Structures are given as C-alpha cells and as structure tokens.
Amino acid sequence: MTIDLHTHSTASDGTDTPAELVANAAAAGLDAVAITDHDTTSGWAEALAALPAGLRLVRGAELSCLSPDGRGGHCNVHLLAYLFDPEAEAVVGNQARVRAERRNRLATIAGRMAADGLPVSADDLLAGLPPDSTAGRPHIAMALVRAGVVSTVDEAFARYLNDRGRYYVSSSRTPVEASIEMIARAGGVTVLAHAFAHRRGPTVTAEVIKELAGVGLNGVEVDHPDHDAEARSQLRDLADDLGLITTGASDYHGTNKVIRLGEETTSPEMLDAIIERATGVEIVTRS
Ligand code: AMP
Ligand code: FE
Ligand code: FE
Ligand code: ZN
C-alpha cells in the first residue's frame, strides 16, 4: 500500500493540474493520494472528475496558520486538513479571505521587483491564476524562470524570494488553534505539517504540539522530506505520548520541487484512523 497524504496542484503552487496530479499518482503506483493545496479546495472537483480507477482520493487542504512558538513568540505553521465539509461557512469565509490577501501580497512583491527592473508583472501573474486558486511566491519564481532571470525555482528563492530577501512580504495567517477548531466543526481531521522542518525557518516546540493536541489537533506529519532523522524520531515519540496520528508524505509540488509522489508515505492503519474520525466528506474510489 502506497499512501501519500500531502500534494499540491495548480490550485495553489504545484505544477500539475488536479487531473494531472491524480493521473500521475496512479502512474506512480499510489493506492491513495490526498490533494492538499494551500488555503483552497478549488482543485477538488477536477481531481474527483479525473480520478483513475482504483486510486483512493482524500480531499484536503493545507492551511496557512500562525502558532505560538513555545519561546514567547510566534511562528508560521501549516495545518493539513482532511475530509472536511468544503461548504462549511467558516471554512469558505476564512479561505476566501486568506486567498484575497495572498493575491494582494503577490502583487506587492511583484510590484517591488518590477520597480527594481526585474521582468515580472503583477497583472500578468494575477491574470494567469486559475479561479479560487492560491497565489504564492512559487508563481513569481516560475515567472523569473520563464523570463530567463534564473534557471530554477530554487535559484529564484535563493536569490530573490526567501524570507530574508529584500522583496519578502509576510502572508496572511489564521491562529492555528482557531483553524483546528474550525476544521473539527466542519467534520475534518487536522495534522500539523512538517512541524520540525528547521531548515524552513523557526519551528514550534514539543510543548506547543502538546497544547495543540489539547485543543483538538489529531496528528503530526512525521515522515516529510524536510525532516531529518532526529526530527522524525522526536515527533514519533511525541505522537506516541499524546496519542496522535502520524503521517508521512512527499509534499509534492510537480516540477517546482524535486520530490517524487510517494517518496514518503503513510501507513494504511493511520489512513484508517483519519477516515474513522472524519465526518465532512468521504474518501472516494472509482471501480
Ligand atoms: P508562500 O506560501 O508564498 O510564502 O511561499 C511558500 C511556498 O514556496 C512553500 O509552500 C513552498 O512550496 C515554496 N518554497 C519555499 N521555499 C522554496 C524553495 N527554496 N524552493 C522552492 N520552493 C520553495
Ligand atoms: Fe507550497
Ligand atoms: Fe507546507
Ligand atoms: Zn505543502
């Protein structure tokens, strides 16, 4: 059983359309895949319509959140949300607001770069986004690649788009406790994404994860490409102590990252635990 519970499509900052994503997941030999675009469910319908026979589809999203960091400050975290009701009013409102703010942010970053003579246009970038999709820095990175300014998305981040770069603008964030409660009320299951990915920037402490478990967090993503062996073993021990679900996933972004579908995986028992707790929408398979 190969189960990959964290992937992105063109509904956010991946490069596969939702239809291509599920086709590629089947071709990669996956038995189950989750579509988890940043702050949107707009890829769900296309992924569902194109679902190849035998592949189980877990509909989800990855929410941009702000968390206490456990050291008296705050840090950005990503919350994976699975099988929630996409029409729950709070979810619709929250995601629409986050997406609108992220489009404004994309325009601000692109405008600053254009003012410095870089060949990016905020209007062109926004016009190129699918409806209800989520704008992110990778869209600017891809524009820089297309313009020949850099040769890869990674190089664009290293030279222009990283959090310490001169063009960086922080993005809209929802408090993680509120997001956990919102998804629980919408019948979904929450898993904290890449919580100890230290190379991405400041991370939460184990104490914070314990507090989040107290407000209803269901699981932690353990096997993630940005987690080293120490991070994985710390998270696994913590999940054991707290009775949390543990997952593994590639965080596939198509050609924007080098990770393959199914490179990290979740056990069938853990997927069953997610399905058991969820009451929003069902996991889908076509015969
Ligand atoms: P944003 O959500 O706009 O702040 O952009 C963050 C997104 O950019 C993440 O979800 C990653 O997919 C992507 N990302 C961050 N750092 C890099 C990098 N060095 N190379 C490629 N993609 C990156
Ligand atoms: Fe992303
Ligand atoms: Fe993430
Ligand atoms: Zn992701």
Side-chain angles (χ1 to χ4, degrees):
M1 276 284 215
T2 310
I3 299 165
D4 189 339
L5 294 184
H6 183 167
T7 73
H8 296 267
S9 76
T10 49
S12 64
D13 56 4
T15 59
D16 289 358
T17 63
E20 289 165 348
L21 174 67
V22 290
N24 286 335
L30 299 197
D31 299 285
V33 68
I35 180 170
T36 54
D37 280 302
H38 298 285
D39 306 300
T40 189
T41 58
S42 64
W44 286 15
E46 184 185 320
L48 197 60
L51 191 64
L55 178 66
R56 305 172 84 194
L57 178 66
V58 177
R59 287 168 286 176
E62 184 178 22
L63 310 185
S64 306
C65 302
L66 191 70
S67 174
D69 62 6
R71 301 173 193 88
H74 287 83
C75 67
N76 293 337
V77 294
H78 284 171
L79 183 71
L80 291 162
Y82 297 114
L83 302 174
F84 56 93
D85 173 5
E87 286 168 6
E89 223 174 294
V91 174
V92 172
N94 174 266
Q95 297 203 343
R97 184 178 52 75
V98 171
R99 287 196 304 272
E101 289 178 13
R102 289 176 65 97
R103 282 178 188 234
N104 288 337
R105 165 185 181 246
L106 190 80
T108 304
I109 298 175
R112 287 187 189 174
M113 294 176 86
D116 272 359
L118 286 161
V120 291
S121 146
D123 289 346
D124 290 354
L125 281 167
L126 292 175
L129 296 173
D132 295 325
S133 67
T134 303
R137 283 176 285 164
H139 293 105
I140 303 178
M142 287 185 269
L144 292 170
V145 173
R146 284 194 301 272
V149 175
V150 291
S151 46
T152 63
V153 164
D154 259 343
E155 187 189 346
F157 268 88
R159 284 178 57 187
Y160 301 106
L161 292 166
N162 65 77
D163 298 19
R164 292 162 301 279
R166 58 183 298 201
Y167 302 110
Y168 183 69
V169 177
S170 67
S171 64
S172 166
R173 302 273 158 179
T174 311
V176 66
E177 302 91 335
S179 297
I180 289 168
E181 284 161 9
M182 175 181 82
I183 294 300
R185 278 196 295 271
V189 174
T190 50
V191 172
L192 194 63
H194 46 72
F196 286 175
H198 306 298
R199 73 170 93 133
R200 283 175 174 236
T203 58
V204 298
T205 59
E207 192 54 37
V208 171
I209 295 177
K210 190 174 168 186
E211 284 165 20
L212 297 181
V215 300
L217 177 71
N218 301 112
V220 286
E221 190 177 50
V222 172
D223 291 310
H224 183 281
D226 290 349
H227 282 162
D228 58 21
E230 193 190 356
R232 293 175 196 223
S233 89
Q234 287 169 345
L235 281 167
R236 219 179 290 284
D237 290 349
L238 187 64
D240 277 351
D241 288 349
L242 300 172
L244 293 174
I245 291 169
T246 56
T247 66
S250 63
D251 202 354
Y252 174 76
H253 279 68
T255 56
N256 273 354
K257 286 189 182 172
V258 293
I259 310 297
R260 286 175 297 107
L261 279 161
E263 199 161 315
E264 308 271 6
T265 59
T266 297
S267 75
E269 294 72 26
M270 291 299 174
L271 175 56
D272 287 344
I274 290 172
I275 294 166
E276 248 166 56
R277 283 169 176 73
T279 58
V281 294
E282 303 205 317
I283 185 166
V284 184
T285 344
R286 292 206 195 297
S287 44

